[in-house]
Amino acid sequence: MTDVKILADRIEDLLPQTQCTKCGYPACRPYAEAVANGEASYNQCPPGGVEGIARLAALLGKPVIPLNSANGIERPRPLAVIDEQLCIGCTLCMQACPVDAIVGAPKQMHTVIAELCTGCDLCVPPCPVDCIAMPAVTGDATGWAAWSQPQADAARVRHDRRGARLARERDAAEARAAARRAAGATPHNEAASASAAATPAAPVSDDADAKKRAIIQAALERARKKKDEMAAKGQGPLNTDNVSADVQAQIDVAEARRRRLGLGPGSNASGNADDASDPPSSPRTPR
């Protein structure tokens, strides 16, 4: 078992860390473990391409074989670009991004932080208004020629941090729900104390976290400035009204989830999310 884990670690180190799921697994790490266990072949990673297969083949002592076409094709690296005139601010793309490369807020225009995007395509399918394009940005360069080890390492760190953040949010949501249940049988002041005690303290930020927040804040400021400029011209998101019932249902699910996690505008002053059964607000043009 230890040998398999070590092999999985070495395989993971050779993957491009785009976290695109094209290999048939939810992320690069599960794919590495499947290859190490003999449950998956080493030719299922389109972003790694021919060079990626050669790297894995050398490690495993196996021949270089063609990329499995069922998993996709080797191609130039794309970059997610959001058409802000069509964006309705549903947050579904943000939830799908495996490396937190999209920033925005409910019913506000979203934007992609280009230097963080891995070109995974995962933000495209959930977009209910088809406002995300994936243009190639590396010319004729494909696979590892369109990517780099530092980019892969950074994407891996962001993916791992996102997973840790989501775990904290789930734990915090469960703690708040438990506190609300307990509040029904305790005095108000005791319930408030229990809720405060149940909410985990924010983790101490390190330099990398501070840098990431600065990048995101700068992107938000650019998006806000662009929105203000468009508003001054009488422009803005043009697709927030009269959305279809299917689209509204997707938005409602996303907003309910944000309320449960205490992340959306429906959160009260104490930081606890409103009950997910509250009726969702209808789409409207951002002010």
Side-chain angles (χ1 to χ4, degrees), residues 99-249:
V99 292
D100 284 340
I102 302 176
V103 293
K107 296 190 177 69
Q108 301 291 327
M109 292 184 298
H110 300 348
T111 190
V112 177
I113 305 175
E115 56 267 35
L116 304 186
C117 178
T118 66
C120 69
D121 298 318
L122 292 177
C123 58
V124 176
C127 178
V129 293
D130 196 24
C131 72
I132 303 177
M134 299 294 299
V137 293
T138 58
D140 295 330
T142 65
W144 273 102
W147 198 230
S148 70
Q149 193 61 52
Q151 286 173 310
D153 294 341
R156 181 176 179 176
V157 169
R158 292 196 302 275
H159 178 263
D160 291 348
R161 286 180 176 171
R162 178 178 184 273
R165 173 177 59 78
L166 293 178
R168 289 196 303 271
E169 290 174 356
R170 285 192 296 269
D171 290 345
E174 291 173 0
R176 287 193 293 270
R180 286 196 296 272
R181 289 193 296 269
T186 59
H188 176 72
N189 60 340
E190 293 181 9
S193 299
S195 177
T199 302
V204 178
S205 299
D206 56 19
D207 291 341
D209 287 332
K211 182 178 179 180
K212 179 179 178 182
R213 285 197 301 273
I215 292 173
I216 293 174
Q217 185 61 36
L220 284 171
E221 289 299 328
R222 290 196 298 271
R224 190 175 298 113
K225 181 178 179 181
K226 184 172 183 178
K227 184 186 73 171
D228 292 342
E229 291 173 351
M230 294 172 67
K233 298 176 182 178
Q235 301 175 346
L238 303 179
N239 208 24
T240 58
D241 296 319
N242 302 317
V243 296
S244 69
D246 289 343
V247 169
Q248 185 60 53

Side-chain angles (χ1 to χ4, degrees), residues 8-170:
D9 291 340
R10 296 181 65 187
I11 292 172
E12 185 182 16
D13 290 341
L14 298 178
L15 297 176
Q17 303 298 321
T18 57
Q19 314 299 339
C20 66
T21 76
K22 289 180 173 60
C23 60
Y25 291 84
C28 293
R29 178 64 192 190
Y31 174 53
E33 293 174 349
V35 174
N37 284 313
E39 299 169 357
S41 179
Y42 54 96
N43 68 336
Q44 297 177 201
C45 176
V50 174
E51 181 178 342
I53 294 172
R55 292 184 180 193
L56 294 177
L59 171 64
L60 299 171
K62 296 185 177 182
V64 176
I65 57 178
L67 176 67
N68 188 340
S69 60
N71 299 105
I73 61 173
E74 181 175 346
R75 61 175 183 174
R77 180 168 58 86
L79 171 69
V81 178
I82 296 175
D83 185 339
E84 295 175 343
Q85 290 288 314
L86 298 179
C87 177
I88 60 175
C90 69
T91 76
L92 296 176
C93 61
M94 294 172 58
Q95 296 177 46
C97 180
V99 292
D100 284 340
I102 302 176
V103 293
K107 296 190 177 69
Q108 301 291 327
M109 292 184 298
H110 300 348
T111 190
V112 177
I113 305 175
E115 56 267 35
L116 304 186
C117 178
T118 66
C120 69
D121 298 318
L122 292 177
C123 58
V124 176
C127 178
V129 293
D130 196 24
C131 72
I132 303 177
M134 299 294 299
V137 293
T138 58
D140 295 330
T142 65
W144 273 102
W147 198 230
S148 70
Q149 193 61 52
Q151 286 173 310
D153 294 341
R156 181 176 179 176
V157 169
R158 292 196 302 275
H159 178 263
D160 291 348
R161 286 180 176 171
R162 178 178 184 273
R165 173 177 59 78
L166 293 178
R168 289 196 303 271
E169 290 174 356
R170 285 192 296 269

